[in-house]
Amino acid sequence: MRATASISNWIVRLAGTLQLVLGALFWTGHAYTCVPLHIIGGAAIVLALWTVAVLALIARTHRGLALFALLWGLALPAFGIRQATVLIGPMHWIVRVIHLLMGLAAMALAGTLAQAILAAVPGRVPGPEREREAVTS
């Protein structure tokens, strides 16, 4: 469980960095051919968010936040896909900012839940330590 939470957290960090770079390029009018990559990165973040949310529920830590993260993972791609048709024109920047904030919130949720899981679930003791414990028990 700890490994899965840690890996999911790293996926969110890497994909999130990619998303921020691509988003900045899109806002400046460049790299529109990379929109499919942006969608894939967003899907990776949502899947990692759902993974840590389910793990948090299993570990019985931050249950309310985990349930919220599951719902947030539904809202983020729904808004992302729909954003191109909302407030078209000079006010569209508002939609872009909301999409950015939703993505940052998803990244923060995943990080918070992953850290809570790592704190709540005991880790394995390394090999030599495990042998020492067996001898003293």
Side-chain angles (χ1 to χ4, degrees):
M1 183 179 299
R2 289 177 58 86
T4 304
S6 184
I7 291 168
S8 295
N9 198 19
W10 275 104
I11 289 170
V12 168
R13 289 174 181 173
L14 294 173
T17 301
L18 173 69
Q19 295 298 80
L20 292 172
V21 169
L22 288 174
L25 288 172
F26 299 155
W27 276 18
T28 60
H30 300 88
Y32 286 119
T33 58
C34 294
V35 169
L37 182 60
H38 187 70
I39 292 169
I40 292 168
I45 290 173
V46 169
L47 292 174
L49 174 63
W50 282 342
T51 300
V52 293
V54 169
L55 290 176
L57 290 172
I58 292 169
R60 296 183 179 180
T61 183
H62 291 71
R63 292 182 205 171
L65 194 60
L67 290 173
F68 179 75
L70 291 171
L71 294 175
W72 197 256
L74 289 174
L76 186 60
F79 185 79
I81 291 169
R82 185 99 170 104
Q83 76 171 348
T85 62
V86 179
L87 280 180
I88 299 171
M91 301 302 285
H92 187 67
W93 67 269
I94 296 169
V95 176
R96 289 180 171 177
V97 170
I98 291 170
H99 184 65
L100 170 65
L101 294 175
M102 288 180 74
L104 291 173
M107 293 167 58
L109 279 169
T112 300
L113 289 173
Q115 291 302 320
I117 293 162
L118 293 174
V121 176
R124 292 188 182 164
V125 179
E129 295 293 323
R130 185 177 293 149
E131 291 172 13
R132 200 173 310 140
E133 283 181 11
V135 171
T136 59
S137 298

